[in-house]
Amino acid sequence: MANGFTAPRKPPAVVVFDLDATVWDPEMFQLWGGGGSPFRTENNGETLRDRVGNQVRLMGDVAAILRELVSGCYGNPRVAVASCCDEPSWAEECLEKFNIENDRTKPNIYLKDVFSPIEIYKAKKSLHIKNIARKTGAKPEEMLFFDDQWGNCQTVAAMGCTVIRCPDNGVTWELFRAGMSKFIGPKQLLPVPHSPATK
């Protein structure tokens, strides 16, 4: 492993992300009134623009965190989506177009290739988690869940998931490490990458 660290012994089996106000900003409903699909890429897919020019960006340290999750540094957890997005088709298009690989010498990594399963529909988050559990074979207590809304966090926590609320700036390294440490302990955490661009 990088930096001489070994993989943690018991990472979560599934890391689950909400989308709106957790992975990206603005929320899809905030593009109503003429905006929305189709989206075009900017900066090699690091940001998007909707049909009227509104920018959609990844929040916090989401891109770098997802790169770390798929790198194998924390074993091989599934990375899933549990979203109540008002515009599922727009969200799916954003998943297809956002690229989280900031090294232009490497192949692009699109969000749609990172997340599986992807659950995007209007329902209580408990249904999303049940479906993720069914599709992955993981129990709720083996899942780490990120969401910006307090009610969703309460619902999912009651199912046994480890829950981290991210109400302001999406999923940051601080919040991600707080969540991972509940599974593996702080001594097993890998250091935050010190790259020119971690977002």
Side-chain angles (χ1 to χ4, degrees):
M1 295 299 170
N3 301 314
F5 282 75
T6 57
R9 290 171 293 180
K10 294 183 180 179
V14 187
V15 183
V16 185
F17 292 82
D18 176 41
L19 292 177
D20 284 346
T22 299
V23 166
W24 59 51
D25 178 72
E27 300 187 47
M28 293 291 104
F29 81 87
Q30 293 176 299
L31 302 178
W32 288 347
S37 180
F39 296 88
R40 57 184 171 85
T41 61
E42 294 184 317
N43 304 318
N44 197 40
E46 292 180 15
T47 55
L48 305 179
R49 293 274 178 184
D50 76 354
R51 63 191 302 169
V52 297
N54 295 312
Q55 186 183 73
V56 183
R57 64 178 182 86
L58 297 178
M59 299 181 72
D61 299 301
V62 164
I65 289 166
L66 292 176
R67 288 197 304 271
E68 184 143 302
L69 282 172
V70 301
S71 73
C73 290
Y74 286 105
N76 293 292
R78 298 285 289 272
V79 186
V81 165
S83 171
C84 297
C85 176
D86 291 288
E87 295 287 350
S89 64
W90 294 3
E92 289 167 2
E93 183 180 347
C94 290
L95 291 175
E96 291 176 357
K97 293 182 175 179
F98 266 121
N99 169 36
I100 63 168
E101 180 52 75
N102 62 354
D103 186 341
R104 300 293 177 89
T105 68
K106 296 180 179 179
N108 291 347
I109 303 173
Y110 296 100
L111 289 182
K112 69 178 179 66
D113 298 321
V114 173
F115 292 121
S116 176
I118 296 172
E119 304 290 321
I120 307 176
Y121 41 81
K122 280 293 186 184
K124 284 194 172 183
K125 285 294 173 84
S126 55
L127 179 60
H128 296 79
I129 296 300
K130 288 177 182 177
N131 285 334
I132 291 170
R134 177 175 55 83
K135 292 178 179 180
T136 63
K139 299 176 182 179
E141 54 265 30
E142 297 176 301
M143 299 183 192
L144 172 59
F145 175 79
F146 295 96
D147 198 301
D148 65 299
Q149 295 188 21
W150 177 248
N152 291 338
C153 290
Q154 286 184 310
T155 296
V156 173
M159 300 178 71
C161 295
T162 295
V163 169
I164 298 293
R165 185 176 177 229
C166 39
D168 300 315
N169 300 307
V171 185
T172 62
W173 279 116
E174 180 181 6
L175 293 175
F176 174 73
R177 288 167 64 84
M180 290 297 290
S181 68
K182 292 185 179 183
F183 279 87
I184 62 176
K187 292 183 179 180
Q188 291 283 349
L189 291 173
L190 294 169
V192 173
H194 294 288
S195 61
T198 59
K199 294 184 180 181

